[in-house]
Amino acid sequence: MMTAKPATRIVCFGDSLVEGEGDVACQGGWVGRLAAVLKPNHGNFGGYRIFNLGIGGATAVDLRMRFGEAVICRPDILIIGCFSNDFLIRPAAINPSGIDEHRVASFDMQRAWNELLGDATKLCDKVLIVGSPRDYSENVSRQRSLPYGPNEHKAFIRSLCERYKAPQLLDYPSFVNESDVRTEFDHPNAKGYDLMFKDIYAKLQQLKWVD
């Protein structure tokens, strides 16, 4: 008689890159690919249950407000991915201040991430932060002209991960020198999600969190 064993619950929490937008292969982005390779849970005999809590357009502030969704899922492993939308530019032409600014102020980004990661590491002892495989948006040059840009934000997230002892994957080795991995709307396409999955799965195996 087999001994009952609960499933390992993996919660993937984030924006459209977690949701899988742009995956014309209809495989559910990198989250769907992860679910496909991990042993599914059947009854009480171990395996994995995967929860995709990605919503397109989400910012770090949104995730902080939605954190209860992750709590309800009772994760054993929590993967958080959300960077791109924080850095979308609100152009001067439509901004009341009359200047280019980030959609989310840098102070609010940092505060949200600090609170989010603090709560996440209290909820579960296996938290992985994953970044964006692109340079945050199509407005790269305009972003880099602002005081707080993608490089500064990556450095801040890395410092938070060290503080909370949470591993991170902010760069995707498989994307280096790759082409034709994005849709016209700058989301990964099927090939792009294949590469994201490859790196995220390898990181989870390296951490010995999955088989």
Side-chain angles (χ1 to χ4, degrees), residues 5-11 38-39 41 45-51 74-77 126 209-211:
K5 179 182 177 183
T8 298
R9 304 164 73 91
I10 302 178
V11 175
L38 294 176
K39 177 186 175 183
N41 169 248
F45 302 115
Y48 297 86
R49 292 190 65 187
I50 315 295
F51 300 81
R74 296 179 288 112
D76 299 297
I77 300 170
K126 294 178 180 176
W209 289 0
V210 300
D211 299 329

Side-chain angles (χ1 to χ4, degrees), residues 101-166:
E101 289 183 320
H102 292 308
R103 176 181 168 190
V104 178
S106 58
F107 173 79
D108 290 331
M109 273 190 245
Q110 292 183 337
R111 181 175 62 182
W113 269 105
N114 188 29
E115 293 175 353
L116 181 62
L117 201 45
D119 287 347
T121 51
K122 289 176 184 175
L123 174 65
C124 139
D125 61 0
K126 294 178 180 176
V127 178
L128 174 64
I129 306 301
V130 299
S132 169
R134 58 189 173 92
D135 210 340
Y136 296 92
S137 88
E138 66 279 5
N139 300 312
V140 172
S141 61
R142 297 170 81 180
Q143 289 175 4
R144 290 176 177 165
S145 70
L146 298 177
Y148 187 79
N151 290 334
E152 289 80 9
H153 192 52
K154 277 187 178 183
F156 172 73
I157 296 297
R158 286 194 171 100
S159 70
L160 273 187
C161 289
E162 290 178 7
R163 174 182 171 188
Y164 289 107
K165 297 180 173 56

Side-chain angles (χ1 to χ4, degrees), residues 180-191:
D180 302 323
V181 295
R182 300 178 179 88
T183 69
E184 59 182 307
F185 299 108
D186 215 18
H187 286 89
N189 56 23
K191 180 180 179 182

